Each structure stands twice: as structure tokens, then as C-alpha cells.
Amino acid sequence: MIDVKATLNESEERMEMAALFLEEQLARIRAGRANIAILSGVRVESYGQMVPLNQVANVSTPDPRTIAIRPWDKKMIKAIEKAIMDSDVGITPENNGEIVRLGIPQPTEERRRELAKQCNKIGEKAKVEVRNVRSDIKERLKKAIKDGLSEDNEKDAELELQKVHDRFIKKIDELLAAKNKEIMTV
């Protein structure tokens, strides 16, 4: 027989993963403010291996429009610049021999709208995942009735599942609203 509590906990974990994935993806979207998360996918060649940028340099945001990258080894500046140019960051790096700087340009109104659409697409994927988890768990609960789960317990579990679903959909909507506000703020 199915363990209803464990099944509901599993559904909550899977929905939480969808929300965390959305949060991570939204952090990578450049919204006109300096955010070191946009560099999280950049890999630099260091001593023959590709390593994340934050393992060869200190990455900081000295002001809202600049990201400063201070390599621990000055010889790495060219490799860091090349890695940024080869990545999908879309910003040309500048260096003064010690620090690589990325100037974050102010996005145009059209670009802001595109970014908002991109965020909403990612958000919709997260919502679809949450809905898929709900339907998957509902199916399991329906099958569990045949294995001896009472219909009352199944209905209670379904109500609990719906509450969890609603909570995560609300969380996703809040994340999207916050990101859209950040994007549209001039």
C-alpha cells in the first residue's frame, strides 16, 4: 500500500526543484543591473583545464553598472577575456592590466520587453513541471485506491496535493513578478 505522507513529501520536493530551477535561470538573465550570476556559466582555461570563472578570479560588483573581475594570477587576464567573449554573456570586457571590467549597458525598452517574455517562458516551463508533478501524484493516488487506500484518504491527499501545488504556483508567480519589475525598472 502507498505511503501517502511520503508521496506528498516527494511531490513537494519535486515542485521545490522546479521553483529553484526557475530562480537559478532568472538570476542569469541580465536586467540592466550588474549581477555576478550572469557569469556563472563562464568557464576559463586554466593550466589545461576548463574551470568556472570564480575559481580563478574574484568577481565583484563595485557599482550597479559594473562587474569587476580580479584574477588571482595576472597571466589569466587574456584567458578570462577570451572566455567571456566566447560565452553568451554578450558584453565586451575591458582590462587595465590588473582588473577585467564589464560595463553593463542600459537595455532599451524593446530589449526589456524581450527579456520579460523570456522570463515568462521560463516561468511557464516551471509551472508546467509543477502541474506534471501534481498529475503524476494524482495518478499514483488513484491507483492506490485499488491497492487498498480508502477513498477518504485519497481525497484528503488530493486536497493536500492541491494546496502544495497552489503554493508553488504562487511562488513562481511571485518570482516572475519580481524579475519583471527588476527588468522594467529604468
Side-chain angles (χ1 to χ4, degrees), residues 13-26 126 168 171-172 175:
E13 283 176 22
R14 287 172 58 192
M15 290 179 190
E16 180 71 35
M17 292 304 288
L20 288 174
F21 173 77
L22 173 66
E23 230 174 311
E24 188 179 297
Q25 292 300 308
L26 291 179
F168 279 101
K171 182 176 181 178
I172 288 170
L175 287 170

Side-chain angles (χ1 to χ4, degrees), residues 8-9 11-12 15-16 130 133-135 137-138 141 154-172:
L8 289 174
N9 285 342
S11 71
E12 192 166 355
M15 290 179 190
E16 180 71 35
V130 168
V133 170
R134 179 185 60 180
S135 69
I137 299 297
K138 268 188 170 181
L141 291 171
E154 187 265 346
K155 287 290 178 207
D156 291 344
E158 244 181 66
L159 284 171
E160 192 60 38
L161 178 66
Q162 186 63 41
K163 286 178 188 172
V164 171
H165 167 270
D166 293 345
R167 190 173 80 229
F168 279 101
I169 292 292
K170 185 177 180 214
K171 182 176 181 178
I172 288 170

Side-chain angles (χ1 to χ4, degrees), residues 27 33-41 53-54 59-61 66-69:
R33 279 210 143 103
N35 181 358
I36 60 173
I38 65 172
L39 297 174
S40 62
L53 177 62
N54 63 1
V59 183
S60 62
T61 54
T66 310
I67 296 176
I69 304 161

Side-chain angles (χ1 to χ4, degrees), residues 115-127:
L115 288 171
K117 280 184 186 175
Q118 185 182 350
C119 290
N120 290 333
K121 275 185 183 175
I122 297 168
E124 193 53 44
K125 283 181 183 174
K127 286 182 181 180

Side-chain angles (χ1 to χ4, degrees), residues 73-85:
D73 181 0
K74 303 249 187 295
K75 296 174 196 155
M76 293 298 299
I77 285 185
K78 290 287 181 217
I80 289 171
E81 281 187 322
K82 182 181 183 321
I84 292 170
M85 293 296 283

